Amino acid sequence: MSTENLPQSPEQPPRKPRVAVVFGGRSSEHGISVVTAGAVLRAIDRTKYDVLPIGITRDGRWALTADEPERMAITDRRTPSVEELAESNEGGVILPVDPANREVVYHEPGSVPKALGEVDVVFPVLHGPYGEDGTLQGLLELSGVPYVGAGVLASAVGQDKEYMKRVFTSFGLKVGPYVVIRPREWERDESAARKKIVDFAGEHGWPLFVKPARAGSSIGITKVDDLAGLDEAVAEAQRHDPKIIVEALLRGREIECGVLEFEDGPRASVPAEIPPAQSHAYYDFEAKYIDSTPGIVPAPLTPEETAEVQRLAVEAFEATSCEGLVRADFFLTEDGEFVINEINTMPGFTPISMYPQMWQASGIAYPELVDRLVEAALRRSTGLR
């Protein structure tokens, strides 16, 4: 019997790749992560991708959240939270742990688990520990789900300021003077640990910057002008991380440069300059996000200085085995030398953040930037590479 005249089943249109935007988290940078997620959700191309927003609460619960980016903004000088956006106070999202199965499940106590469909790529916009530090990346590697940004090693190195600087030094990148106080040092002999910092100040001078070793967004940082403020600064840093790093003041200009992975490898953006914050002692959390101290894009550098900082930014990206994106922060010292301060493997990603602004000035608008990052993640496999 001929089948030529039988009605034909219409072909199913191809399924759009599904992007899970994961945000929030257990770190001190929870609120900024939510703001970043709102910007990404506004920018992502809905004609090209299906989107699943997943928030992680401050206590670590993975929550299904409303896809309402307008609620993910700083209002009245206050950052938003996943708790405010979660569709339930008890339900949890469960990622697959079987690489052959990418289906995400939502489970609420007393209810039948609900399948949310497969996820093709995760866009993790978490900042700080328990998200930007390799922990989430390791989970996604085990699950076999591709993701935006740096892998496990690069994320861990990029989060720990001590080991980041050690890696930079081993690759010939110049870093400023620093000293690290580990938790056991402070617990075992507080006086000896304090003396270690005082001796460092004796060698390099005051003021010093006392920082959590594994935090970002300038949270927990104190500029210490003399011995009287040291203990309070250490206590503030230890509120965010029991391991602290103390850095000497570098006199010079603050220069930042973005790196983005293209099909043919990483490229650097035009650099930006962070001018001294007039109403702040330095470029702290409030200057960055609340008062939005504007950077200068592009930075007023000579062509030779621009080329050099771009070269160094890509070197830092390669030295730490990064993927996807990085913001590299430098000081241009008074003697004309670039000293690298740190990298951020998932930098602040709101439209007013420096990383998107630098790429905007380089010819890549925010929506295209988001798209390029997702496309790069989809091209990449999980596992050893």
Side-chain angles (χ1 to χ4, degrees):
M1 179 180 175
S2 172
T3 60
E4 290 180 5
N5 297 320
L6 293 178
Q8 301 296 311
S9 299
E11 288 188 11
Q12 293 293 322
R15 181 176 69 84
K16 291 186 289 187
R18 174 171 258 198
V19 181
V21 179
V22 180
F23 60 96
R26 294 162 55 190
S27 82
S28 303
E29 299 171 77
H30 177 103
I32 289 303
S33 174
V34 178
V35 175
T36 294
V40 170
L41 289 170
R42 276 190 292 272
I44 197 165
D45 186 351
R46 303 305 180 103
T47 67
K48 188 173 180 180
Y49 304 108
D50 284 330
V51 180
L52 177 66
I54 300 174
I56 302 177
T57 64
R58 286 188 172 92
D59 61 4
R61 179 173 63 90
W62 289 50
L64 190 62
T65 66
D67 187 1
E68 298 176 2
E70 65 277 3
R71 294 172 58 195
M72 303 180 186
I74 295 173
T75 54
D76 299 326
R77 304 179 69 84
R78 189 181 68 85
T79 56
S81 71
V82 169
E83 286 80 359
E84 297 166 349
L85 299 161
E87 294 192 352
S88 164
N89 293 326
E90 295 181 330
V93 175
I94 303 170
L95 280 182
V97 291
D98 177 1
N101 173 26
R102 293 184 179 176
E103 187 161 79
V104 175
V105 174
Y106 178 70
H107 181 267
E108 202 160 348
S111 301
V112 176
K114 175 185 175 184
L116 299 178
E118 292 188 353
V119 166
D120 297 288
V121 63
V122 169
F123 200 136
V125 292
L126 294 106
H127 304 306
Y130 312 109
E132 192 184 349
D133 60 349
T135 49
L136 176 60
Q137 290 74 15
L139 173 63
L140 295 172
E141 291 285 352
L142 289 173
S143 301
V145 180
Y147 53 92
V148 170
V152 176
L153 174 65
S155 297
V157 170
Q159 189 63 47
D160 191 309
K161 292 178 174 60
E162 175 193 1
Y163 288 99
M164 183 197 310
K165 291 176 188 291
R166 289 180 181 272
V167 169
F168 289 155
T169 301
S170 72
F171 277 82
L173 293 162
K174 186 173 179 59
V175 304
Y178 69 95
V179 66
V180 173
I181 305 296
R182 293 181 171 81
R184 287 196 187 97
E185 290 182 80
W186 195 263
E187 293 163 4
R188 185 171 56 239
D189 191 337
E190 189 176 309
S191 296
R194 187 183 294 105
K195 182 178 183 301
K196 187 175 174 180
I197 301 174
V198 173
D199 289 347
F200 178 78
E203 181 179 358
H204 298 286
W206 302 91
L208 303 174
F209 289 90
V210 179
K211 304 179 176 182
R214 296 163 292 192
S217 297
S218 299
I219 289 174
I221 298 177
T222 305
K223 181 181 179 184
V224 184
D225 293 313
D226 52 40
L227 185 60
L230 182 59
D231 282 0
E232 185 178 345
V234 169
E236 172 60 18
Q238 288 176 333
R239 284 184 54 236
H240 303 277
D241 186 351
K243 176 181 175 181
I244 66 170
I245 187 167
V246 180
E247 297 175 349
L249 173 69
L250 289 177
R251 300 189 186 281
R253 298 160 62 188
E254 290 189 54
I255 306 294
E256 298 185 347
C257 191
V259 179
L260 179 64
E261 185 178 1
F262 288 74
E263 290 84 347
D264 59 351
R267 300 182 204 169
S269 69
V270 300
E273 180 168 2
I274 307 301
Q278 298 301 316
S279 58
H280 299 266
Y282 59 97
Y283 193 46
D284 61 6
F285 177 84
E286 291 212 349
K288 283 182 180 180
Y289 296 109
I290 305 300
D291 296 327
S292 301
T293 300
I296 303 169
V297 188
L301 301 171
T302 67
E304 294 76 17
E305 289 169 337
T306 295
E308 177 66 358
V309 75
Q310 288 174 325
R311 181 186 70 81
L312 292 171
V314 172
E315 277 197 21
F317 182 96
E318 298 280 30
T320 46
S321 299
C322 282
E323 295 166 292
L325 73 162
V326 146
R327 193 194 73 228
D329 301 347
F330 297 85
F331 291 102
L332 178 55
T333 62
E334 293 172 342
D335 60 3
E337 185 174 36
F338 282 105
V339 177
I340 189 164
N341 184 36
E342 65 180 30
I343 59 168
N344 278 263
T345 57
M346 185 52 70
F349 212 81
T350 69
I352 65 167
S353 298
M354 295 312 303
Y355 184 85
Q357 285 193 55
M358 288 186 286
W359 280 109
Q360 175 80 40
S362 304
I364 298 179
Y366 192 97
E368 183 186 350
L369 185 59
V370 170
D371 189 64
R372 282 183 174 274
L373 289 168
V374 174
E375 288 284 0
L378 286 168
R379 287 195 303 268
R380 202 171 71 217
S381 64
T382 54
L384 298 177
R385 51 188 182 272

